[in-house]
């Protein structure tokens, strides 16, 4: 039978398969929606395809599907994909439970069915409606969104652990791109194009976009609410957002901004968690520590950050010759600021005034005489490099800024001996 008929049908023939309404993009490409449970019957759990010892228990069609899957897709076992799927499962659970309202998105599944599907047309209110017949024994391989597919299986393995039922997971309506009648070479090329040709957004762009991340959300609020002296010495105040780059991953020497968004966010994270925050600066923050509420955190960080930026504005403006705006130093300033937060449970509490007095004598100039071995190192040419990131230098810099018993405390204020 021809793959597509020009005749209108008045009745769908379920003997040919499960009919689904589709948008036909080309002879081999269709767009459809279906419950995820229906998709799971066409594309079984991909973990099964990586268990060759179990192949002898599969039917010939199931073995063919598993082998084709392994030809097209990446491995799951012992790779980052497995952990990503677990994180994705938590995300999907929040979506199904309505906890994200409309602030979520999941891409459509790219389904490859090697055999051509028969399509028919029926008269509709706006012209012709196209239907494709999915044979009841149809199997396929996902060329994209397999991690999302695996996340659904993880949910269905133990739905109660996520506050769901199997019915909720199976009934979730998903978008599916159906590629049919294509050979393996074409499927592998589509997998390549969909997974390897995309441009991954840099960290700043990703952070700006993720408003559901509580640390990012607080940081974005601070961009609008904190006022700082305008560059140029006019005496005017401008929003902090005017001197923070929200698009660039790193600033160039000629840029007029004081820091990147990720650097500012690191200060927020360490102000919330203290030194424990150094390990959290590059990851999502979904929950605040005990006693810390989002509104109070925003207000208290605003107070300390505003004073810090205003007091040392000249050093931030001159960032090419100072260390204060470097990621490690600024995150360390946040860790010390944590001691001035109301939810700090430590014995080393500070008031905002004490915090500012603690920093009064620090020499911010980018000079190895003060910062060698703490925030950077002197190169063979004699230049001082701010080598090392937040995780490398954050803790020892925090000690230098806020621990009077540390030798580094003296070094960054009065100079390091023999340098």
């Amino acid at each position: 039978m021809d793959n597509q008929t020009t005749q209108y049908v008045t009745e769908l023939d379920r003997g040919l398969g499960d009919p689904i309404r589709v948008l036909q993009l080309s002879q081999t490409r269709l767009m459809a929606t279906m419950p995820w449970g229906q998709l799971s019957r066409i594309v079984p759990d991909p973990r099964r395809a990586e268990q060759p010892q179990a192949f002898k228990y599969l039917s010939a069609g199931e073995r063919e599907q598993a082998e084709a899957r392994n030809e097209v897709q990446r491995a799951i076992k012992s790779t980052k994909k497995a952990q990503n799927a677990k994180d994705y499962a938590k995300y999907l659970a929040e979506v199904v439970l309505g906890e994200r309202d409309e602030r979520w998105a999941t891409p459509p599944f790219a389904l490859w069915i090697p055999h051509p599907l028969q399509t028919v047309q029926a008269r509709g209110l706006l012209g012709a409606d196209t239907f494709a017949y999915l044979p009841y024994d149809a199997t396929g391989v996902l060329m994209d969104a397999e991690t999302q597919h695996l996340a659904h299986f993880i949910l269905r393995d133990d739905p109660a652990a996520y506050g769901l039922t199997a019915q909720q997971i199976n009934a979730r309506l998903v978008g599916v791109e159906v590629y049919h009648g294509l050979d393996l070479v074409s499927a592998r090329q589509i997998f390549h194009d969909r997974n390897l040709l995309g441009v991954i957004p840099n960290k700043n762009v990703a952070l700006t976009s993720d408003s559901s991340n509580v640390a990012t959300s607080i940081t974005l609020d601070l961009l609008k609410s904190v006022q700082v002296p305008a560059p140029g010495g006019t005496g005017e105040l401008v929003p902090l957002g005017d001197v923070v780059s929200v698009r660039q991953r790193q600033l160039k020497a000629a840029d007029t901004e004081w820091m990147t968004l990720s650097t500012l966010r690191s200060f927020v994270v360490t102000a919330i968690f203290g030194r424990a925050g150094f390990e959290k600066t590059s990851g999502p923050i979904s929950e605040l520590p005990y006693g810390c509420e989002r509104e109070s955190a925003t207000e208290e960080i605003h107070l300390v950050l505003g004073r810090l930026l205003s007091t040392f504005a000249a050093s931030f403006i001159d960032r090419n010759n100072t260390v204060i705006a470097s990621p490690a130093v600024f995150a360390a300033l946040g860790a010390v600021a944590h001691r001035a937060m109301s939810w700090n449970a430590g014995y080393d509490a500070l008031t905002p005034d004490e915090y500012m007095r603690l920093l009064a004598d620090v020499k911010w100039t980018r000079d190895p005489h003060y910062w060698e071995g703490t925030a950077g190192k002197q190169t063979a040419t004699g230049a001082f490099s701010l080598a090392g990131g937040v995780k490398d230098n954050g803790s020892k810099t925090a000690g230098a800024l806020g621990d009077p018993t540390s030798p580094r405390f003296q070094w960054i204020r009065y100079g390091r001996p023999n340098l």
Side-chain angles (χ1 to χ4, degrees):
M1 182 178 292
D2 195 308
N3 184 54
Q4 181 172 352
T5 178
T6 57
Q7 297 179 344
Y8 292 113
V9 299
T10 58
E11 186 176 358
L12 295 173
D13 185 356
R14 292 187 176 273
L16 298 175
D18 196 6
I20 58 170
R21 181 181 280 110
V22 298
L23 293 175
Q24 187 158 10
L25 305 180
S26 74
Q27 291 296 315
T28 59
R29 288 164 170 79
L30 310 171
M31 292 287 293
T33 59
M34 64 181 68
W36 177 79
Q38 182 179 11
L39 179 64
S40 71
R41 294 194 295 272
I42 301 169
V43 185
D45 189 335
R47 293 172 294 189
R48 189 179 68 175
E50 297 185 8
Q51 299 172 344
Q53 69 275 14
F55 273 33
K56 60 184 178 182
Y57 302 109
L58 302 179
S59 68
E62 290 171 332
R63 282 198 301 272
E64 182 181 352
Q65 188 279 336
E67 290 167 354
R69 183 267 166 197
N70 291 340
E71 286 282 345
V72 173
Q73 269 289 349
R74 302 182 181 115
I76 298 170
K77 189 176 181 180
S78 301
T79 68
K80 191 175 181 181
K81 187 172 182 177
Q83 181 57 49
N84 289 346
K86 294 177 182 178
D87 295 338
Y88 213 145
K90 296 176 184 177
Y91 180 88
L92 289 174
E94 293 173 358
V95 171
V96 175
L97 292 170
E99 295 175 358
R100 285 184 166 266
D101 299 320
E102 294 302 318
R103 296 180 295 107
W104 62 271
T106 55
F109 296 86
L111 170 63
W112 169 49
I113 297 178
H115 306 294
L117 300 180
Q118 180 177 342
T119 59
V120 295
Q121 290 186 323
R123 296 185 185 278
L125 292 176
L126 299 177
D129 287 336
T130 303
F131 293 85
Y133 287 111
L134 281 174
Y136 296 113
D137 62 351
T139 60
V141 172
L142 291 176
M143 300 177 295
D144 199 14
E146 188 183 67
T147 304
Q148 181 187 168
H149 195 48
L150 176 55
H152 283 82
F153 280 107
I154 291 173
L155 290 178
R156 202 167 67 179
D157 286 346
D158 189 5
Y162 297 88
L164 299 171
T165 65
Q167 174 58 28
Q168 286 177 296
I169 301 162
N170 288 326
R172 180 174 182 255
L173 196 64
V174 296
V176 182
E177 302 171 16
V178 183
Y179 296 76
H180 63 110
L182 299 176
D183 60 17
L184 176 61
V185 173
S186 299
R188 293 179 69 174
Q189 183 64 51
I190 293 171
F191 168 83
H192 172 276
D193 295 351
R194 292 289 291 262
N195 290 275
L196 301 178
L197 293 184
V199 178
I200 299 174
N202 68 41
K203 183 178 178 181
N204 261 16
V205 174
L207 288 175
T208 308
S209 303
D210 188 10
S211 60
S212 65
N213 186 313
V214 64
T216 302
S217 180
I218 291 173
T219 304
L220 296 177
D221 283 349
L222 294 172
L223 288 179
K224 302 173 185 176
S225 61
V226 174
Q227 298 286 305
V228 298
T234 63
E236 298 180 9
L237 295 178
V238 296
L240 176 57
D242 286 7
V243 295
V244 173
S245 174
V246 299
R247 291 293 170 186
Q248 292 172 262
R249 185 172 179 271
Q250 291 182 321
L251 295 179
K252 303 180 184 67
D255 290 332
T256 58
E257 290 89 354
W258 294 4
M259 67 189 72
T260 65
L261 181 69
S262 61
T263 298
L264 176 62
R265 182 181 178 276
S266 293
F267 178 95
V268 171
V269 171
T270 54
I272 291 172
F273 293 96
R275 292 197 182 198
F278 292 133
E279 295 297 322
K280 302 175 183 290
T281 54
S282 59
I285 305 296
S286 57
E287 295 182 357
L288 295 172
Y290 178 77
C292 178
E293 301 293 335
R294 186 195 180 288
E295 185 175 349
S296 60
T298 304
E299 292 176 357
E300 293 183 40
I301 295 173
H302 177 147
L303 172 63
V304 173
L305 178 63
R307 292 186 63 176
L308 177 69
L309 295 172
S310 296
T311 301
F312 301 112
S315 295
F316 285 104
I317 293 171
D318 191 28
R319 63 174 178 80
N320 289 321
N321 298 307
T322 61
V323 301
I324 193 169
S326 67
V329 174
F330 203 54
L333 284 165
V336 180
H338 172 74
R339 295 162 54 186
M341 304 298 156
S342 61
W343 59 90
N344 168 40
Y347 65 89
D348 56 351
L350 296 169
T351 67
D353 286 339
E354 290 171 335
Y355 173 70
M356 294 307 300
R357 285 198 295 269
L358 191 62
L359 303 175
D361 295 328
V362 174
K363 301 296 189 295
W364 302 113
T365 183
R366 192 176 296 196
D367 187 335
H369 185 61
Y370 303 104
W371 294 97
E372 170 70 24
T374 300
K377 62 182 180 181
Q378 192 168 12
T379 66
T381 62
F384 183 67
S385 170
L386 292 172
V390 172
K391 294 179 182 179
D392 296 324
N393 293 337
S395 185
K396 58 187 176 183
T397 303
L401 290 168
D403 180 6
T405 66
S406 166
R408 298 177 192 275
F409 185 90
Q410 302 297 322
W411 297 350
I412 68 170
R413 289 164 173 82
Y414 310 111
R416 184 170 178 172
N418 303 320
L419 276 181

